[in-house]
Amino acid sequence: MKKINIKNFKKTLSKFTTGVTVVCVKNNGIIYGKTVNSFNSLSLKPPLVLFSLGNYSSSIKTYLKSNFLTINILSKKQQDISNHFAKKKIDTKKIDFFDGENNTSFIFGCVANLECKLVERIKKGDHIIFVCEVINVQYNDKLKPLSYYNSSYN
């Protein structure tokens, strides 16, 4: 066993395979998106999911002010979209979106899309955990998900 430090903590967690999502919010007609792999289900009744963003995230204030958002589960064909939304400054005009019911925007071509109402924000360590109630979903059984393991896409 090794003593914990940031480097070996990150390396250890990289051994856990995750899916890749882009979480989008809309504010004053502008779409903001962040690549997120810290996403998981929380509850079936009511249908809840959660994800986290770093306190230092470039658009954290926009996410904190939002009431509704979308979680877009990326397909294997969408690695470029994941990379695009992982940058600090992004241009969402290059991405194909479609509108949700609650002033939200979804990314086309995903394995699944969830429209959510933000119900709780929890500050822990250097991140904020967003708890969301899922209100609308769609999925495509023909697509394979994009996954991330050992600090690279699979």
Side-chain angles (χ1 to χ4, degrees), residues 87-104:
K87 298 174 186 172
K88 287 192 186 226
K89 295 193 178 198
I90 52 171
D91 180 8
T92 56
K93 294 176 184 147
K94 297 178 182 179
I95 306 297
D96 289 328
F97 290 100
F98 64 97
D99 292 332
E101 293 181 10
N102 294 285
N103 192 35
T104 55

Side-chain angles (χ1 to χ4, degrees), residues 50-114:
L50 62 83
F51 68 94
S52 66
L53 291 175
N55 295 333
Y56 49 82
S57 179
S58 58
S59 51
I60 191 70
K61 290 180 182 175
T62 304
Y63 283 81
L64 288 169
K65 289 190 292 187
S66 297
N67 292 318
F68 294 94
L69 54 85
T70 63
I71 300 170
N72 302 276
I73 302 173
L74 301 184
S75 77
K76 277 192 171 217
K77 299 176 182 178
Q78 294 178 306
Q79 184 176 328
D80 57 332
I81 291 176
S82 174
N83 290 334
H84 182 80
F85 284 103
K87 298 174 186 172
K88 287 192 186 226
K89 295 193 178 198
I90 52 171
D91 180 8
T92 56
K93 294 176 184 147
K94 297 178 182 179
I95 306 297
D96 289 328
F97 290 100
F98 64 97
D99 292 332
E101 293 181 10
N102 294 285
N103 192 35
T104 55
S105 295
F106 295 98
I107 297 173
F108 275 109
C110 292
V111 170
N113 307 88
L114 298 86

